[in-house]
Amino acid sequence: MIADRLTEELELFIEDSQEQLSYMEQAILDIQEDAQDCDSIGALFRAMHTIKGTAGMFGFDDVVNFTHVGENLLSEVREGKIELTEPMLDTFLEVKDHTQLLIDVAMQQRNLTSEEQDKGNRLTEQLEKYLAGEVGTTVEKVIESDTGTNTSEEHTNCYHISFRMHAPFFTDGMDIIEILKYFPVLGRVLYVFPVTCNIPPLIKYNPVEAYMGYEVLLESDFSQEDIYSTFEFVKDDIDLDIFASDDKKSLLNLLEKRKDKIDLKDQLLFYGCYPSKFFDEDETTKEFVEKPENITIETTTSTEVDVPVKRTGPKKKSIQKSFSLRVDSSKIDQLINQISEMVIANAKIAQHADTLDDTDLSESANILSEMLEDIRTGVMNIRMVQVGDSFKKFKRIVHDVAKKLDKEIDFEILGGETELDKMVVEKISDPLMHMLRNSIDHGIESKEERIAKGKSPVGKVTLNTYPDAGTIVIEISDDGGGLNKQKILEKALQNDVVTQGEHLSDKDIYQLIFEAGLSTANEVSDISGRGVGMDVVKQNIESLRGTIDIDSKEGEGSTFTIRLPLTLAIIDGFLVQSGDTKYIVPLEMIQECIELDSHYKKQMKEDEFINLRDTMLPLLDIRTLYKEAESRTSRENVVVVRYGDYRMGLRVDELFGEFQTVIKPLGEVFKNVPGISGGTLLGSGEIALIFDIPKLIEYKIKHKGVSNDSRNG
Amino acid sequence: MLIEKNEIQIYDIDDIYAAVLQEFEGGSVTIDLSQVYHIDMSVIQLLIATKQSCEEEKIPFHLQNINTEVATILKQCACEFLMEEAL
């Protein structure tokens, strides 16, 4: 059926509809904040219109019928005829969800269940109630007008649409019929004719090649951008021109451009689309625009119709041509993998150049290395997306959870422009969602409780994202009740997670909430509080090589701080050696390198600290930690690393310098080795192990008793 | 020629073209669409090509037993002229 035939287009449809649904949701939430936000009302209308249009192209009638009612109501709202109310916005949120469901059902090629059908009917009735008083807006009537050319309505714009299908149009799996069927929905089709003069004689005919095109004159209330969007799925497979029908210059350009076997001007005149005087050389566009009203032309049905001219009405939006490309992320992953292999191969060349003492080859390898770094950065940048686009969806979650719990929440997203690898953004989404729910459910107190505590009845939840020292920090903070240390400890003792008398810092206690089954919520709700989740949240964050930290003050609120690496595939590393093993330290975490000379050694305290410019710097001896062989050099070095608020010195033997590091996962054998996040292949073929700095700091804190006094500020 | 399919589209177009060409070379083209309920643009284009070539060569061309569904598609594509000589 249709779905089998147009798999690729359906995939695009799904992607596009997801995007439009997300715009819808965002627009509704924006309007909730500012009811006068005309841009958002317009965005909401356009999103619904686009979904309806594209669904129509695929024959998803249930989606078209349902969204049409919503679109109708929004049209009235946009024109100021109906006031947008809070309950109406809530209905639109449900409409958005139901539209999503209808799309899913259409994709699954199944029928709606009676429950789903009932919900749709209820929402349609609700929308129609809002529309009450307006004549002829029932679903049936609207749909009826959609299926035929509407000849009675007045429209604000008139467009000339001209397209020619590219030769491989059919073999690319495209069909144009659904778009032609959709024109009457967009407005009033004044003229439409197929351009058939380029079709070769039957004996020279190639049946799989497309030779045709269409010329259409369409009166419509929609913007030129909206009309363009109708061709979204075929725009790369046709030569398309859309312009205002009174734009003589564009028309003349089109006539010049089209190389049909019969002159396009003759065809347009033959079909009566334009009066012959329109093409007169001495008539300027300006003159035509100024004197159009009384010109009439003969139509194919011999009735007189107003010439397609500019009418007064809402100002048309200028078209912003998008230069963005939709690329399957697996293609970028493949590219990154190939670059990774090139980085390794180039490292081998550089190694050989050093061995051979070949300066020319070494220089070439260096140039290649710089070029690879540029390419790598460029490709990585493709994957980088602004977190704000993805985080906007949390507004809906906060809205729904708050409503369900009868809490008022002022939710703020800060630093939305911060960029992060798209894959990381996607993977962090679920943990963030869970934590936000927790913040609202357990963090923010009830209105009554807040008032009793002298707080504002409106709780504040903030999602803040910012870059810091080569990592991205995501903070979720609330001004709720904060974590109850005593309760966490009691629960941890009950569950044998800690033992009686064990000394734990505040941070250690807070970290206990990430232990499986350790929910301290008084009540289990369907939102959170089952103790299943926070451990998974931590696991998910750690799987991204990230960390999570908690700060909390009872009665004042909590802040969950997540630190994530910028990218996952290739990092700038710093190559060091300890004993016989080479290690990589992520470059962005290095503050400085110092030689551990006799001056420092004299001031060392039990090999655990050094005095670095009058600051006690905790030291982690890599040789001791990993039981490395004795150093072959007498010289020792300290690499000073920083992660968040913590600083630490890594005591190593040799320093080799910067190294582009392709992160390769290590097998199960290394699973329990502390502080190692992966491996990389060096030019010599040797393996270097990549330090997991947060884990090493954690190890140092746990095993050597270093606590916050080593914090940097 | 009778097309024994309910739905004809790009995947069937080579076969249909071969059959139409054979009729065309035989001096008369009559296509029976009684069993067809859905066509795509590649089929419409072939029908137009056939009609145009038949007119050029003064060969009779007829579409037979067009179902409402197919007629609607032809109308939606502004190709009603294909039905002018329908039987």
Short mmCIF file of all heavy atoms in Angstrom, two decimals, chain A residues 340-366:
data_model
loop_
_atom_site.label_atom_id
_atom_site.label_comp_id
_atom_site.label_asym_id
_atom_site.label_seq_id
_atom_site.Cartn_x
_atom_site.Cartn_y
_atom_site.Cartn_z
N SER A 340 38.81 8.66 12.88
CA SER A 340 39.53 8.04 14.00
C SER A 340 40.63 7.11 13.48
O SER A 340 41.76 7.12 13.97
CB SER A 340 38.57 7.22 14.86
OG SER A 340 37.56 8.05 15.35
N GLU A 341 40.27 6.32 12.47
CA GLU A 341 41.26 5.40 11.90
C GLU A 341 42.40 6.18 11.24
O GLU A 341 43.56 5.79 11.30
CB GLU A 341 40.59 4.45 10.88
CG GLU A 341 39.57 3.49 11.47
CD GLU A 341 40.12 2.68 12.65
OE1 GLU A 341 41.26 2.20 12.56
OE2 GLU A 341 39.41 2.56 13.67
N MET A 342 42.04 7.30 10.60
CA MET A 342 43.07 8.12 9.96
C MET A 342 44.01 8.72 11.00
O MET A 342 45.21 8.83 10.79
CB MET A 342 42.42 9.24 9.14
CG MET A 342 41.82 8.76 7.84
SD MET A 342 40.81 10.04 7.10
CE MET A 342 42.06 11.08 6.40
N VAL A 343 43.43 9.12 12.15
CA VAL A 343 44.24 9.69 13.23
C VAL A 343 45.25 8.64 13.70
O VAL A 343 46.44 8.93 13.87
CB VAL A 343 43.33 10.15 14.41
CG1 VAL A 343 44.15 10.45 15.65
CG2 VAL A 343 42.52 11.37 14.01
N ILE A 344 44.78 7.41 13.85
CA ILE A 344 45.67 6.33 14.30
C ILE A 344 46.75 6.07 13.24
O ILE A 344 47.94 5.95 13.56
CB ILE A 344 44.86 5.05 14.61
CG1 ILE A 344 43.96 5.30 15.82
CG2 ILE A 344 45.78 3.86 14.85
CD1 ILE A 344 42.92 4.23 16.09
N ALA A 345 46.32 6.01 11.96
CA ALA A 345 47.28 5.75 10.88
C ALA A 345 48.33 6.86 10.82
O ALA A 345 49.53 6.60 10.64
CB ALA A 345 46.54 5.64 9.55
N ASN A 346 47.88 8.09 11.01
CA ASN A 346 48.81 9.21 10.96
C ASN A 346 49.79 9.17 12.14
O ASN A 346 50.96 9.53 12.00
CB ASN A 346 48.05 10.54 10.93
CG ASN A 346 48.96 11.70 10.64
OD1 ASN A 346 49.72 11.67 9.68
ND2 ASN A 346 48.93 12.71 11.50
N ALA A 347 49.29 8.71 13.28
CA ALA A 347 50.17 8.58 14.44
C ALA A 347 51.29 7.58 14.13
O ALA A 347 52.44 7.75 14.55
CB ALA A 347 49.36 8.12 15.65
N LYS A 348 50.95 6.54 13.35
CA LYS A 348 51.95 5.54 12.96
C LYS A 348 52.99 6.18 12.06
O LYS A 348 54.20 5.94 12.20
CB LYS A 348 51.28 4.38 12.22
CG LYS A 348 50.64 3.38 13.14
CD LYS A 348 50.08 2.21 12.36
CE LYS A 348 49.30 1.30 13.29
NZ LYS A 348 48.48 0.34 12.60
N ILE A 349 52.52 7.00 11.12
CA ILE A 349 53.45 7.68 10.20
C ILE A 349 54.39 8.58 11.00
O ILE A 349 55.61 8.57 10.79
CB ILE A 349 52.67 8.51 9.15
CG1 ILE A 349 51.84 7.58 8.26
CG2 ILE A 349 53.63 9.35 8.29
CD1 ILE A 349 50.86 8.29 7.33
N ALA A 350 53.81 9.33 11.94
CA ALA A 350 54.63 10.24 12.76
C ALA A 350 55.67 9.45 13.55
O ALA A 350 56.83 9.85 13.67
CB ALA A 350 53.73 11.03 13.70
N GLN A 351 55.26 8.29 14.04
CA GLN A 351 56.17 7.44 14.81
C GLN A 351 57.33 6.95 13.93
O GLN A 351 58.49 7.00 14.32
CB GLN A 351 55.35 6.24 15.35
CG GLN A 351 56.17 5.19 16.07
CD GLN A 351 56.37 5.58 17.53
OE1 GLN A 351 55.60 6.39 18.06
NE2 GLN A 351 57.40 5.04 18.15
N HIS A 352 56.98 6.53 12.71
CA HIS A 352 58.01 6.06 11.76
C HIS A 352 58.97 7.19 11.41
O HIS A 352 60.18 6.99 11.31
CB HIS A 352 57.36 5.51 10.49
CG HIS A 352 56.87 4.11 10.66
ND1 HIS A 352 57.70 3.07 11.03
CD2 HIS A 352 55.64 3.57 10.52
CE1 HIS A 352 56.98 1.96 11.12
NE2 HIS A 352 55.72 2.24 10.82
N ALA A 353 58.37 8.38 11.21
CA ALA A 353 59.19 9.54 10.86
C ALA A 353 60.21 9.82 11.96
O ALA A 353 61.38 10.11 11.70
CB ALA A 353 58.31 10.75 10.63
N ASP A 354 59.77 9.67 13.21
CA ASP A 354 60.67 9.89 14.35
C ASP A 354 61.77 8.82 14.37
O ASP A 354 62.94 9.12 14.57
CB ASP A 354 59.88 9.83 15.68
CG ASP A 354 59.21 11.17 15.96
OD1 ASP A 354 59.50 12.12 15.21
OD2 ASP A 354 58.40 11.23 16.89
N THR A 355 61.32 7.57 14.16
CA THR A 355 62.28 6.46 14.18
C THR A 355 63.34 6.63 13.10
O THR A 355 64.53 6.41 13.30
CB THR A 355 61.54 5.11 13.98
OG1 THR A 355 60.42 5.09 14.84
CG2 THR A 355 62.43 3.92 14.28
N LEU A 356 62.86 7.03 11.91
CA LEU A 356 63.77 7.19 10.77
C LEU A 356 64.52 8.53 10.80
O LEU A 356 65.37 8.78 9.95
CB LEU A 356 62.98 7.10 9.45
CG LEU A 356 62.27 5.76 9.18
CD1 LEU A 356 61.30 5.91 8.02
CD2 LEU A 356 63.28 4.66 8.90
N ASP A 357 64.12 9.37 11.74
CA ASP A 357 64.67 10.72 11.83
C ASP A 357 64.50 11.46 10.50
O ASP A 357 65.38 12.19 10.04
CB ASP A 357 66.17 10.64 12.22
CG ASP A 357 66.62 11.96 12.85
OD1 ASP A 357 65.73 12.73 13.26
OD2 ASP A 357 67.83 12.21 12.89
N ASP A 358 63.33 11.25 9.90
CA ASP A 358 63.04 11.86 8.60
C ASP A 358 62.24 13.16 8.84
O ASP A 358 61.04 13.12 9.14
CB ASP A 358 62.21 10.87 7.77
CG ASP A 358 61.97 11.35 6.35
OD1 ASP A 358 61.97 12.59 6.14
OD2 ASP A 358 61.78 10.50 5.46
N THR A 359 62.91 14.29 8.75
CA THR A 359 62.25 15.56 9.10
C THR A 359 61.14 15.91 8.12
O THR A 359 60.10 16.45 8.51
CB THR A 359 63.26 16.72 9.16
OG1 THR A 359 64.06 16.66 8.00
CG2 THR A 359 64.12 16.67 10.40
N ASP A 360 61.35 15.61 6.83
CA ASP A 360 60.31 15.92 5.83
C ASP A 360 59.03 15.14 6.12
O ASP A 360 57.93 15.68 6.11
CB ASP A 360 60.80 15.57 4.42
CG ASP A 360 61.80 16.61 3.92
OD1 ASP A 360 61.87 17.68 4.58
OD2 ASP A 360 62.49 16.34 2.92
N LEU A 361 59.25 13.85 6.36
CA LEU A 361 58.08 13.00 6.64
C LEU A 361 57.41 13.44 7.93
O LEU A 361 56.17 13.48 8.03
CB LEU A 361 58.52 11.53 6.74
CG LEU A 361 57.41 10.49 6.88
CD1 LEU A 361 56.47 10.53 5.68
CD2 LEU A 361 57.99 9.09 7.03
N SER A 362 58.22 13.80 8.90
CA SER A 362 57.70 14.24 10.18
C SER A 362 56.85 15.51 10.01
O SER A 362 55.76 15.64 10.59
CB SER A 362 58.87 14.50 11.12
OG SER A 362 58.39 14.83 12.38
N GLU A 363 57.39 16.42 9.16
CA GLU A 363 56.66 17.67 8.93
C GLU A 363 55.33 17.40 8.23
O GLU A 363 54.28 17.96 8.59
CB GLU A 363 57.52 18.60 8.06
CG GLU A 363 57.04 20.04 8.12
CD GLU A 363 57.92 20.95 7.27
OE1 GLU A 363 59.14 20.68 7.18
OE2 GLU A 363 57.39 21.88 6.68
N SER A 364 55.39 16.48 7.23
CA SER A 364 54.14 16.14 6.52
C SER A 364 53.13 15.52 7.48
O SER A 364 51.93 15.82 7.42
CB SER A 364 54.43 15.14 5.40
OG SER A 364 55.32 15.71 4.47
N ALA A 365 53.63 14.66 8.36
CA ALA A 365 52.73 14.03 9.33
C ALA A 365 52.11 15.07 10.25
O ALA A 365 50.93 14.98 10.60
CB ALA A 365 53.48 12.99 10.15
N ASN A 366 52.91 16.08 10.59
CA ASN A 366 52.40 17.15 11.45
C ASN A 366 51.31 17.95 10.75
O ASN A 366 50.27 18.27 11.34
CB ASN A 366 53.52 18.11 11.85
CG ASN A 366 54.31 17.57 13.00
OD1 ASN A 366 53.83 16.71 13.73
ND2 ASN A 366 55.54 18.05 13.15
#
